[in-house]
């Protein structure tokens, strides 16, 4: 009985294999770069300003208005992604299965500045929870 089941399973897989399509891909990529540790450590909360941060770390990935201040976000990521797709005709219906796995978390560093552009705090971790919620931009009126 086991031989019959095994033969049936083999025949089924062979039949699907002849009339189906299996494809896959693997991607690996790097997004941005981790700021040098010595440059981050040189920034001092309460003393460093926005110019110091940009001079030491370069352009941020995001700039977000945060109340009267601003937050600069630096992120980096080395990611891998697997994707497998199987398509097979089953009777009169085409079946399609797709699987994708990827790293969706971007590590980063967020620097917070007050209205005088002084560094008030630095936080590191995944950018999603660290970034302040977007706010509507303030109206900027020209001085007369």
């Amino acid at each position: 009985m086991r031989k019959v089941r095994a033969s049936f399973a083999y025949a089924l897989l062979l039949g699907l294999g002849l009339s189906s399509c299996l494809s896959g891909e693997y991607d690996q990529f790097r997004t941005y770069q981790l700021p040098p540790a010595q440059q981050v450590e040189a920034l001092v909360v309460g003393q460093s300003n926005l110019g110091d941060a940009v001079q030491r770390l370069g352009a941020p990935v995001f700039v977000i208005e945060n109340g009267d201040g601003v937050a600069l976000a630096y992120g980096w990521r080395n990611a891998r992604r697997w994707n497998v797709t199987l398509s097979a005709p089953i009777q009169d219906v085409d079946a399609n299965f797709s699987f994708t796995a990827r790293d969706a978390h971007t590590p980063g560093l967020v620097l917070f500045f007050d209205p005088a552009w002084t560094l008030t705090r630095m936080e590191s971790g995944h950018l999603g929870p660290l970034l302040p919620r977007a706010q509507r931009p303030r109206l900027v009126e020209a001085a007369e």
Side-chain angles (χ1 to χ4, degrees), residues 50-141:
L50 185 70
D52 298 332
V54 173
Q55 183 179 8
R56 292 187 175 283
L57 305 180
V61 177
F62 299 109
V63 177
I64 300 166
E65 187 175 1
N66 187 26
D68 287 336
V70 70
L72 302 183
Y74 295 86
W76 54 91
R77 189 168 102 169
N78 290 326
R80 292 182 298 256
R81 182 182 71 169
W82 290 93
N83 182 16
V84 178
T85 303
L86 171 66
S87 298
I90 299 175
Q91 291 183 354
D92 294 331
V93 178
D94 284 336
N96 190 345
F97 169 77
S98 181
F99 170 77
T100 301
R102 71 178 132 202
D103 179 9
H105 302 288
T106 301
L109 169 70
V110 180
L111 308 177
F112 295 88
F113 296 87
D114 64 14
W117 307 117
T118 303
L119 181 63
T120 58
R121 73 180 198 268
M122 296 189 292
E123 294 184 16
S124 60
H126 289 113
L127 286 181
L130 292 178
L131 292 174
R133 293 188 185 262
Q135 300 175 353
R136 296 187 74 168
R138 290 179 291 153
L139 178 62
V140 178
E141 296 181 24

Side-chain angles (χ1 to χ4, degrees), residues 1-38:
M1 187 68 164
R2 280 189 177 184
K3 259 189 169 179
V4 172
R5 284 184 186 166
S7 297
F8 177 73
Y10 179 72
L12 180 64
L13 288 174
L14 182 63
L16 281 174
L18 292 175
S19 62
S20 63
C21 178
L22 177 66
S23 65
E25 66 181 286
Y26 173 78
D27 294 328
Q28 185 173 7
F29 59 93
R30 172 179 282 172
T31 306
Y32 306 112
Q33 243 178 305
L34 175 68
Q38 66 272 19

